[in-house]
Structures are given as structure tokens and as C-alpha cells.
Amino acid sequence: MARPFLSVLIDTYNHERFIEQAILSVLDQQVADADREIIVVDDGSNDQTSEIVRRFKPRVRLIRKANGGQASAFNVGIPECAGEIIAFLDGDDWWVPEKLRSVSNVFARDAAVGLMGHGIVESFENGVERTVHVKKPERFRLDSLESARIFRLRKTYLGTSRMALRASVARQLLPVPEALVVEADEYLFTLAAASSDIVILPETLCHYRLHRGSLYLAAGSNRNSLRRKQVVHDALASALRRELAARNVPHDVVDCVVEIVQAEGDQIRLTLDGGAPWETVQTESKIYEILHRDARWNHRLFRALTMVPASILPPKWFYRARRWAASHRWYGELRRKFLPMP
């Protein structure tokens, strides 16, 4: 049997409501069946996910394993991929029909490209959709301070359902630290970006589903989930710092990449454990400057005003108040109307 050019690796856990749509979106791609294989790694689902996947045999191969998180699913699935290119898909997302053709074209044109991503359509449970994309194609490598600053603003386009890697690059990054029960994709695409060129397309080639059952998004719903997310952020920051340094990435580049990961972990720690008000101001200011360096004066003024209570209140109180405001529709409407995000 001829070796496929593309391997599609779907990681899934308790996605019985969504996995069929994910698989159908791969089967509907504008590439021949002979040019692709589909592997689903079921990370110990306790619902009907595996039964649904089995309906698609032999066009889809199912691998079941004990629950261990996203990293463990990648560690099992990547070595099983026979294709030259591995395109990743979460079991609760889905692709548009042009996705794999675009992936094939990017990698076939240039052997120096080891990682690609693209725009997304954020699809909410209430039917609302929001398109997120770059304005034009981008290409760079994580090898300078300026490229690191670009990279940390482009991670949205490199997550699991957007990410495609040369198999030769992906295998060099294994094993993924299994402490990364979520965000193992960030470990892969960050290290891949340091060893090969990245291409980001402006086309929106996948639907990223935002729902309450998402393991990543659910972190805001309860203390245990938040704690898990904080532990993952700390583990990711530590692993990236170690592995990037081992690949002789310049120190300033490593610091730039890890800074946002660690700051997000610190933000969760302050929410859960508290601390001094100055820590809140320091952490929030760091995240703001990373994400919104281009903010206008009026947005910066509003930000400065919101930091006044942060400099006074205990962190737990401040973050509780911010969650309360964000949970009210009127606050979101006011922000969108008068002070949208830069």
C-alpha cells in the first residue's frame, strides 16, 4: 500500500456530540483518499465517542488509550502517522473542505517550511461566529527577538486544529512532557518554530468550537480546573525554557517566548492563592504590554484606571470583581461599543 502524503491526527476525549462532524469534515476534504490517512486517538473517553468512531472503519483508524491528557495522546499518535505531513484536529472542532489542499500546497512548495497555521472561525454554542485571521500570509522563524514578539501574538493561528507539522519535525520533539494534559500543542508548535520556518495563511480553514465541555475553556468554571491550568502553565514555561535553550535558541528569544506563558500562570496563581496587590499590577501590566503594544491612548487610559483597584485590593478580590463584571452582558456591550480591544 502506497504511503499517504498526509496524516490527520484527531485527539479526542468525551466528544460524542462532536466527533462525527470532525471526522466527516476530514472525509469531505478536497484530496484523494489515497493521499491521506485518518487516525483518532481516544484518550480514555467514558461516553460513546469510540463507538461513533468505529462506524467509520476502515477509512478511519481508532487507537484507544487510558486517559492521560493531550500530551499523552500526541505521544501515542504521532509515531503511528505514516504521512510526510501531520495535520492535527481536536475532536470537537471541524475543518472547511479546502483545508488539506491548502496544507499540501504549502509544504509541497518549500522544504524549509516545517510548521503552518491559518485563520479560524470561532463558533459559539449560541450560533454566533467570529472570524480571526491575519491580513496577509506571513512567514518567519523563531530565531530573533523581533520574530519572538511576532510569534507570541500569532499563537492563536497555531493551536491544535490549525497546526500542521512535517512528520520529521514532529518526531524530533517527542516525547511531549505528559504534565501537559492541555496545551501540549503549544509545546509542539513553539519548538517546531525554533527549528523550521513557519507559514501562517489568512484563510479561515477551521471552526474552533467554544463550548462548556472544553477541557481548556472549562478552566474558568471551578477551582480544580483553574489549578490544573496553572500547573500546566508552570510546566509548559519550564519545559519550553529548558528545550529552547537546549536547541541553542538565543536567551532573549527564550525569555520573550516564555514570558507570556509564565505571566498567564502567575495570573491564575494570584486568582487562586492571592498575594500582594503589586503582584497583580505587575502581572497584568506585563500581559497587557505583550498583547496590546499598539493600544491607543484612550484604551491605555482605561487600563490605567482599572489598575487603581488592582493596586489596592487583594488579588483574589480584584479577580473576583473582574469576573463579576465580565459575566454581565451590559459590560461586554459597553466595551464593544466604546472601547473595543486593540
Side-chain angles (χ1 to χ4, degrees):
M1 184 175 178
R3 180 183 179 187
F5 180 66
L6 294 160
S7 292
V8 176
L9 181 58
I10 304 176
D11 65 296
T12 186
Y13 174 69
N14 284 355
H15 288 150
E16 63 181 5
R17 292 188 296 154
F18 312 123
I19 190 64
E20 182 174 2
Q21 184 176 18
I23 293 172
L24 288 173
S25 77
V26 180
L27 293 174
D28 289 341
Q29 291 296 302
Q30 298 171 347
V31 296
D33 281 1
D35 292 333
R36 63 148 190 257
E37 64 173 356
I38 305 170
I39 298 172
V40 177
V41 177
D42 183 354
D43 187 36
S45 295
N46 52 32
D47 62 3
Q48 297 299 306
T49 296
S50 286
E51 285 72 13
I52 295 170
V53 175
R54 287 192 183 97
R55 298 175 193 166
F56 293 93
K57 287 184 175 182
R59 300 177 76 188
V60 176
R61 178 183 170 197
L62 172 65
I63 300 174
R64 277 186 56 84
K65 59 179 288 296
N67 181 250
Q70 189 181 49
S72 68
F74 288 165
N75 287 335
V76 168
I78 290 173
E80 296 294 324
C81 293
E84 296 179 35
I85 309 300
I86 304 175
F88 296 80
L89 177 62
D90 275 331
D92 51 350
D93 298 331
W94 73 98
W95 289 339
V96 303
E98 301 81 17
K99 157 83 177 191
L100 288 183
R101 185 175 62 183
S102 297
V103 169
S104 296
N105 290 340
V106 166
F107 285 103
R109 280 196 299 261
D110 195 336
V113 176
L115 166 67
M116 73 154 286
H118 50 72
I120 61 173
V121 179
E122 293 181 335
S123 299
F124 295 82
E125 287 187 293
N126 61 4
V128 172
E129 293 189 338
R130 180 172 63 195
T131 300
V132 184
H133 62 90
V134 294
K135 294 180 180 179
K136 60 182 180 180
E138 297 183 358
R139 179 171 178 165
F140 58 95
R141 183 188 286 242
L142 188 56
D143 59 1
S144 69
L145 185 57
E146 185 55 36
S147 67
R149 287 172 176 156
I150 295 170
F151 171 81
R152 63 188 185 181
L153 296 178
R154 296 295 185 264
K155 295 193 294 185
T156 295
Y157 311 111
L158 296 169
T160 304
S161 298
R162 293 131 276 179
M163 173 176 68
L165 283 169
R166 288 198 186 274
S168 57
V169 173
R171 292 192 181 97
Q172 291 174 7
L173 307 179
L174 298 179
V176 183
E178 299 211 355
L180 304 180
V181 293
V182 294
E183 300 197 65
D185 53 342
E186 184 162 348
Y187 178 87
L188 286 177
F189 68 65
T190 302
L191 296 186
S195 60
S196 61
D197 286 6
I198 314 167
V199 168
I200 298 177
L201 301 180
E203 290 83 4
T204 53
L205 300 177
C206 88
H207 287 258
Y208 175 59
R209 194 190 305 269
L210 294 135
H211 62 95
R212 285 167 291 181
S214 167
L215 290 178
Y216 182 80
L217 297 177
S221 62
N222 64 70
R223 186 178 181 86
N224 289 338
S225 296
L226 269 175
R227 180 65 73 192
R228 179 184 63 189
K229 190 173 179 181
Q230 182 226 331
V231 170
V232 167
H233 270 277
D234 289 346
L236 178 61
S238 177
L240 289 179
R241 185 173 294 281
R242 180 183 66 251
E243 295 300 327
L244 288 170
R247 287 164 173 78
N248 297 316
V249 176
H251 294 305
D252 58 347
V253 175
V254 176
D255 289 341
C256 185
V257 170
V258 174
E259 181 182 37
I260 182 64
V261 178
Q262 190 62 66
E264 290 169 345
D266 291 342
Q267 188 182 57
I268 302 171
R269 175 181 58 78
L270 290 167
T271 301
L272 291 171
D273 302 330
W278 67 263
E279 292 181 276
T280 306
V281 175
Q282 182 183 65
T283 300
E284 290 297 318
S285 298
K286 185 179 294 184
I287 293 173
Y288 184 82
E289 285 304 317
I290 291 170
L291 298 180
H292 305 304
R293 293 176 67 194
D294 60 344
R296 294 179 298 176
W297 69 268
N298 59 336
H299 201 281
R300 287 186 175 276
L301 177 60
F302 174 80
R303 182 66 175 184
L305 292 174
T306 64
M307 286 296 97
V308 172
S311 66
I312 300 170
L313 294 173
K316 288 183 180 181
W317 293 13
F318 170 77
Y319 287 113
R320 191 177 300 133
R322 192 162 76 172
R323 287 198 303 274
W324 176 86
S327 68
H328 288 77
R329 189 171 181 177
W330 56 264
Y331 177 80
E333 293 297 328
L334 286 173
R335 287 297 303 273
R336 278 189 289 271
K337 185 174 182 180
F338 296 109
L339 207 65
M341 278 292 183

